[in-house]
């Protein structure tokens, strides 16, 4: 068996593994990346972030064509099938794979395609699909194996009408009705995508409000927009059984309700990919969700084995995974280390949501004397021009110091807009106050102008 020696071996080529590997390679280390899929990019590129965001973009364009009156001069509203929309999304996946493959080549990182399994604390065995076996040895390891949809044993995912967020990307028809179980970020995003295609969606939420970690007003606004688009949200429900038959799926709820739809999408929970790593050979024990415990330097219980990204659980975002990977390799390279917190939230429902910092609920509980500065998109010239008038920007600030404490945004381009506020929030002292938005000239017309409108609104509330 071939044995290869490296300075660093990274398992997984999603955002966490990629950034750890590239950072180490740029510091002159000999790096290998092992990936069990047949191309790089991780679940992020193949099953998660990229396909769902690409799908959403196509759906938004279709919605615009079907609802903007101007387009009636060139044709009536059109219906698009899910497979058609998916086809275009695959183009983006291929572009991402090509781009990321070049990153590895440019940085002289060796790629091994196959399943990695620890033999001992310094050796992994890589087995490819053709029973080719290689052995890699290194003084440092980074586990960046990501996560997959949690699949409860009492739901038959082999049934052709029962899907999870991975298998939905193989849906070869457009259902008329769809039940989505789980109203977290993934469930809510897919509810937007399918309802945008004209599918009648039942969104089953096991809690009493959508995305309860968000600002209450924003969560309410999302519920309103989803309902407006034909999504029926059912709160505080749990399934008793999910039964597929020839023509659809019946979901029996604990509350006694019986729902029927053409298809069923399970979007409730994820499991860390640790079960095939041979962790029993090195004495590492994942928790019940398959996730690994790390310290505040991303070290597992074995100090030269780091873990980053979805495999360590919260926040399970590609954005954070990328930074965690780089931070972990900064740590063993002896560079300045940053623990990744203060993470913005980007939720790509239609319209989208983004926030950073604290919510009103958190500030009230902490008895911080804050005030609200608000701007509605309908009052900005840019939104009036584009027609994206649904939405708002809300800045929470300290009523005495004017320090910005939280930014919450709902509406078109929210995930971009939030970063303006985030940049100001990260400034020291006086530079981080509401006054920045009053004393700065914004391009006109822009969505960024909402910051100036909101700041004025907030200052007007002070007495
Ligand atoms: C539908 C959906 C939408 C999402 N949308 C967003 C979004 O809009 N924004 C955002 O920030 N995040 C989003 N996420 C989350 C994001 O995709 C994940 O947080 C991110 O992919 C985690 O990156 P990672 O590098 O930890 O792992 P992953 O991307 O999961 O990659 C891990 C890789 O490790 C490989 N691997 C696993 N085990 C082994 C092994 N034993 N040997 C070799 N290789 C192995 C896997 O094949 C995989 O390629 C979304 C997720 C889903 C499911």
């Amino acid at each position: 068996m071939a044995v290869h020696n490296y300075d660093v071996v990274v398992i997984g080529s999603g955002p966490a593994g990629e950034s750890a590997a590239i950072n180490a390679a740029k510091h002159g280390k000999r790096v290998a990346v092992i990936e069990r899929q047949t191309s790089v990019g991780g679940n992020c590129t193949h099953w998660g972030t990229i396909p769902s965001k690409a799908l959403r973009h196509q759906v938004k364009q279709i919605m615009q064509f079907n609802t903007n009156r101007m387009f009636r001069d060139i044709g009536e509203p059109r219906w698009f099938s899910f497979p058609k929309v998916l086809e275009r999304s695959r183009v983006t996946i291929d572009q991402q794979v090509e781009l990321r493959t070049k990153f590895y080549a440019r940085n002289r990182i060796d790629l091994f395609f196959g399943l990695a399994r620890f033999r001992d604390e310094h050796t992994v065995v890589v087995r490819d699909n053709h029973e080719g076996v290689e052995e890699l040895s290194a003084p440092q390891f980074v586990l960046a194996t990501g996560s997959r949809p949690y699949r409860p044993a009492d739901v038959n995912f082999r049934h052709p009408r029962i899907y999870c967020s991975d298998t939905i990307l193989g849906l070869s028809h457009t259902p008329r009705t769809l039940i989505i179980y789980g109203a977290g970020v993934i469930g809510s995003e897919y509810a937007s995508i399918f309802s945008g295609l004209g599918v009648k969606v039942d969104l089953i939420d096991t809690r009493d409000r959508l995305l309860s970690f968000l600002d209450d007003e924003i969560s309410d606004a999302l519920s309103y927009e989803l309902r407006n688009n034909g999504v029926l949200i059912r709160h505080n429900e749990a399934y008793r059984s999910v039964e597929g038959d020839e023509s659809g799926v019946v979901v029996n709820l604990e509350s006694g309700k019986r729902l029927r739809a053409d298809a069923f999408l399970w979007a409730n929970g994820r499991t860390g990919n640790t079960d095939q790593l041979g962790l029993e050979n090195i004495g590492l024990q994942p928790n019940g969700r398959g996730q690994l415990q790390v310290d505040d330097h991303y070290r597992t219980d074995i100090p030269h084995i780091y873990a980053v990204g979805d495999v360590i659980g919260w926040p399970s975002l590609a954005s954070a995974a990328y930074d965690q990977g780089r931070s972990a390799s900064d740590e063993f390279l002896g560079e300045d280390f940053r623990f990744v917190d203060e993470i913005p939230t980007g939720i790509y429902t239609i319209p989208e949501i983004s926030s950073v910092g604290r919510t009103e609920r958190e500030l009230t509980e902490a008895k911080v004397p804050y005030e609200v500065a608000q701007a509605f998109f309908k009052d900005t010239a840019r939104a009036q021009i584009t027609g994206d008038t649904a939405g708002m920007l809300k800045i929470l600030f300290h009523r005495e110091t004017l320090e910005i404490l939280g930014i919450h945004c709902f509406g078109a381009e929210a995930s971009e807009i939030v970063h303006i506020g985030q940049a100001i929030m990260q400034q020291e002292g006086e530079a981080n106050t509401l006054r920045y938005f009053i004393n700065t000239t914004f391009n006109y017309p822009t969505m960024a102008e909402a910051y100036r409108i909101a700041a004025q609104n907030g200052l007007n509330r002070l007495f």
Side-chain angles (χ1 to χ4, degrees):
M1 185 192 311
V3 182
H4 310 268
N5 294 305
Y6 286 93
D7 298 323
V8 184
V9 169
V10 177
I11 308 179
S13 70
E18 179 189 296
S19 64
I22 291 178
N23 193 25
K26 286 203 186 297
H27 283 81
K29 300 291 178 193
R30 288 199 66 223
V31 182
V33 170
I34 309 169
E35 172 52 60
R36 75 172 170 199
Q37 299 187 58
T38 50
S39 57
V40 300
N43 298 317
C44 175
T45 300
H46 296 277
W47 308 102
T49 312
I50 296 300
S52 62
K53 263 57 306 167
L55 271 170
R56 172 191 184 268
H57 179 73
Q58 323 308 337
V59 169
K60 259 188 79 182
Q61 286 186 305
I62 293 167
M63 288 169 81
Q64 201 168 16
F65 178 81
N66 285 343
T67 55
N68 187 330
R69 279 195 217 131
M70 188 188 77
F71 290 120
R72 295 298 72 80
D73 288 345
I74 54 165
E76 290 308 304
R78 292 281 180 85
W79 180 81
F80 278 78
S81 72
F82 184 78
K84 184 87 197 152
V85 178
L86 200 59
E87 204 178 286
R88 175 62 187 79
S89 305
R90 293 216 173 92
V91 175
T92 316
I93 298 176
D94 292 345
Q95 285 171 329
Q96 281 286 308
V97 168
E98 197 184 326
L99 180 79
R100 302 198 171 279
T101 305
K102 281 188 196 147
F103 292 163
Y104 291 105
R106 204 180 301 147
N107 286 286
R108 309 280 190 272
I109 295 169
D110 290 345
L111 287 172
F112 291 81
F113 290 100
L115 184 76
R117 197 176 161 78
F118 278 98
R119 206 189 63 190
D120 59 50
E121 285 188 11
H122 287 283
T123 319
V124 288
V125 176
V126 186
R127 199 173 290 273
D128 69 23
N129 289 340
H130 314 288
E131 290 306 304
V133 181
E134 297 189 86
E135 212 171 88
L136 272 60
S137 154
Q140 312 280 4
F141 286 85
V142 179
L143 306 185
T145 50
S147 64
R148 60 178 183 273
Y150 162 68
R151 289 170 164 219
D154 58 355
V155 176
N156 177 14
F157 287 93
R158 287 177 185 276
H159 190 279
R161 289 174 180 270
I162 297 179
Y163 300 88
C164 68
S165 64
D166 280 3
T167 54
I168 198 74
L169 297 173
L171 183 68
S172 57
H173 67 286
T174 315
R176 284 174 192 275
T177 52
L178 174 70
I179 296 170
I180 300 181
Y181 189 86
V185 174
I186 295 171
S188 299
E189 288 186 359
Y190 271 111
S192 290
I193 289 170
F194 279 101
S195 63
L197 283 175
V199 177
K200 282 182 76 89
V201 175
D202 268 78
L203 179 61
I204 303 179
D205 186 5
T206 54
R207 305 191 180 180
D208 61 355
R209 64 180 305 127
L210 279 189
L211 306 172
S212 52
F213 58 91
L214 291 175
D215 176 270
D216 288 350
E217 263 184 290
I218 293 205
S219 158
D220 291 346
L222 175 65
S223 301
Y224 173 83
E225 292 294 333
L226 286 177
R227 285 196 182 104
N228 209 22
N229 222 9
V231 177
L232 184 59
I233 307 168
R234 299 173 186 271
H235 292 292
N236 290 321
E237 298 280 9
Y239 77 98
R240 186 182 303 153
S241 66
V242 177
E243 294 153 11
D245 57 36
E246 295 235 317
S247 58
V249 181
V250 172
V251 178
N252 289 300
L253 298 174
E254 287 294 352
S255 61
K257 295 186 191 76
R258 192 174 156 83
L259 313 179
R260 186 177 172 86
D262 292 347
F264 175 85
L265 169 60
W266 174 270
N268 204 30
R270 296 190 62 85
T271 303
N273 290 325
T274 46
D275 49 331
Q276 296 189 4
L277 275 170
L279 296 182
E280 62 283 2
N281 297 335
I282 55 172
L284 276 184
Q285 179 75 42
N287 67 18
R289 294 168 160 217
Q291 296 158 350
L292 286 167
Q293 200 86 32
V294 288
D295 67 10
D296 54 9
H297 284 74
Y298 300 113
R299 285 177 298 226
T300 63
D301 290 345
I302 303 172
H304 69 272
I305 302 182
Y306 292 75
V308 282
D310 276 20
V311 77
I312 62 169
W314 184 89
S316 293
L317 288 171
S319 51
Y322 195 86
D323 284 356
Q324 289 170 349
R326 197 188 49 212
S327 288
S329 62
D330 274 343
E331 167 71 17
F332 60 70
L333 291 164
E335 298 289 318
D336 283 347
F337 171 84
R338 175 174 81 94
F339 186 77
V340 183
D341 49 11
E342 287 289 323
I343 296 150
T345 305
I347 301 170
Y348 297 83
T349 42
I350 303 175
E352 67 195 52
I353 295 170
S354 196
S355 66
V356 63
R358 289 185 278 175
T359 60
E360 288 202 63
R361 212 178 314 128
E362 287 165 341
L363 292 169
T364 304
E365 272 166 26
K367 295 195 167 49
V368 177
Y370 74 91
E371 198 38 276
V372 179
Q374 225 165 4
F376 293 95
F377 285 6
K378 66 181 170 45
D379 299 327
T380 66
R382 180 63 174 252
Q384 288 169 358
I385 292 165
T386 60
D388 292 317
T389 48
M392 67 160 171
L393 171 69
K394 184 163 154 181
I395 308 173
L396 307 180
F397 65 100
H398 196 289
R399 61 172 298 133
E400 282 139 29
T401 63
L402 303 188
E403 181 190 352
I404 298 162
L405 305 167
I407 311 273
H408 304 275
C409 192
F410 176 73
E413 312 305 334
S415 60
E416 305 280 353
I417 294 168
V418 81
H419 290 302
I420 300 168
Q422 182 192 33
I424 302 308
M425 275 178 83
Q426 284 173 353
Q427 304 303 308
E428 300 287 326
E430 295 250 317
N432 168 19
T433 71
L434 204 63
R435 293 216 179 278
Y436 173 87
F437 302 118
I438 302 281
N439 298 332
T440 300
T441 307
F442 287 95
N443 281 330
Y444 181 83
T446 53
M447 296 309 288
E449 196 212 351
Y451 278 97
R452 186 181 52 72
I453 300 172
Q456 197 59 62
N457 167 271
L459 290 181
N460 289 346
R461 281 178 211 269
L462 298 178
F463 52 86

